[in-house]
Amino acid sequence: MHTIRHIISYFLLTPILWCFTLNANAQSYFFRHYQVENGLSNNTVFSSVQDKLGFLWFGTKDGINRFDGYHFKHFNINDDGHNMTPDIISSLLVTDDDRLLIGCQKGLYTFDREKEKLVPIIDSLKWINYMSIDKNGDLWFISAVMLCRYNFKTNKLLRFPQGKYFPATTICNADDGAVWAATTDGFLQRFDSIKQNFTKFDLFSHSGPATSNWIQTIHSAGNNQLFVGTSSQGLKKFDIATAT
């Protein structure tokens, strides 16, 4: 099995490495554009990820596409010919055991590699975005603006509804394993796994007036810091130790 994976990875990655070799020698960059004319199901791509076999996956406005380095293969949620609405794939995630998770407007799905089809995990929630696995192996995601946590072992779904908690926009895991969420009104929320609650930090408390306090993305910067992308005041760096 490892030999097969190595062979597949070699053939998938060789064209990419060859391009990088040319770039290093010529000191120039080469871009190849893939569109519907090349087999992509839709030109609007919301998410992308690479699995451990080397396949590239692209979530589009019309289903998910698997790319082997040469050809695209298109998958929809319903492949029975009765799918009348497009499948908007907003988020993709590959787990440590190489399981592909798909977040879309119809729910949370996974890809069955043997049957080559998308199967539902949670179809009671819609518009799944920004998936992340915490240090305990639980899946965190956002459904519309509601933060959720799902345990694969117990199949237990925990909701943090907007009315009781906050409207969430994005999530990330810090270096220490803590889960952070951001809100529509400019707060960072750190989850306390012991108390099972959140501590909030105002990201705009020392800023000038903002046209919007919407936080678009969070990224762990290392050294106990977070990079935070906002909609109106650019990029901010948040120091976790000093909460500034």
Side-chain angles (χ1 to χ4, degrees):
M1 184 61 183
H2 291 294
T3 302
I4 294 175
R5 287 189 176 183
H6 290 160
I7 293 173
I8 293 175
S9 299
Y10 173 81
F11 282 109
L12 287 174
L13 296 177
T14 296
I16 298 174
L17 294 175
W18 180 71
C19 288
F20 281 130
T21 302
L22 288 180
N23 292 337
N25 293 333
Q27 295 297 316
S28 61
Y29 295 96
F30 172 75
F31 293 93
R32 178 175 294 173
H33 298 271
Y34 294 97
Q35 302 183 71
V36 292
E37 293 83 357
N38 307 110
L40 194 65
S41 62
N42 194 284
N43 285 340
T44 302
V45 178
F46 294 109
S47 54
S48 62
V49 73
Q50 185 174 25
D51 65 21
K52 294 183 180 180
L53 291 175
F55 290 110
L56 297 173
W57 297 85
F58 299 96
T60 75
K61 202 173 182 178
D62 183 17
I64 188 171
N65 295 256
R66 184 179 65 194
F67 187 58
D68 62 6
Y70 302 97
H71 305 99
F72 290 96
K73 186 168 184 179
H74 179 217
F75 301 94
N76 273 324
I77 292 174
N78 298 313
D79 283 328
D80 55 6
H82 300 290
N83 189 22
M84 301 302 294
T85 58
D87 298 329
I88 300 177
I89 310 297
S90 53
S91 182
L92 296 172
L93 177 69
V94 173
T95 64
D96 289 340
D97 58 354
D98 208 25
R99 185 180 189 183
L100 178 65
L101 301 178
I102 301 107
C104 63
Q105 94 277 22
K106 295 180 180 179
L108 176 66
Y109 286 72
T110 187
F111 183 75
D112 188 320
R113 294 185 184 274
E114 292 185 1
K115 297 180 180 180
E116 290 216 323
K117 62 181 298 184
L118 279 66
V119 295
I121 299 177
I122 301 173
D123 54 9
S124 58
L125 298 176
K126 308 301 179 183
W127 291 109
I128 306 299
N129 294 284
Y130 300 105
M131 298 183 293
S132 181
I133 301 288
D134 67 14
K135 61 182 179 181
N136 297 318
D138 290 342
L139 175 69
W140 290 78
F141 62 88
I142 296 174
S143 172
V145 292
M146 180 175 66
L147 184 65
C148 302
R149 185 181 69 187
Y150 181 75
N151 186 295
F152 288 105
K153 296 179 180 178
T154 63
N155 294 324
K156 182 179 179 181
L157 175 65
L158 180 62
R159 297 176 174 89
F160 301 93
Q162 172 184 352
K164 185 178 179 180
Y165 292 91
F166 48 84
T169 59
T170 186
I171 52 178
C172 89
N173 294 326
D175 287 348
D176 61 358
V179 175
W180 288 78
T183 71
T184 59
D185 54 356
F187 286 91
L188 292 178
Q189 300 272 358
R190 181 174 61 192
F191 182 70
D192 189 320
S193 58
I194 298 176
K195 297 180 180 180
Q196 294 289 298
N197 61 12
F198 292 88
T199 302
K200 68 178 182 179
F201 304 87
D202 188 351
L203 193 70
F204 292 81
S205 60
H206 301 291
S207 304
T211 57
S212 170
N213 287 357
W214 185 286
I215 297 176
Q216 184 66 33
T217 188
I218 318 172
H219 181 76
S220 178
N223 298 321
N224 218 24
Q225 296 177 330
L226 300 174
F227 283 136
V228 185
T230 70
S231 63
S232 65
Q233 292 192 346
L235 180 67
K236 296 176 180 288
K237 186 168 67 173
F238 180 78
D239 188 280
I240 297 174
T242 60
T244 56

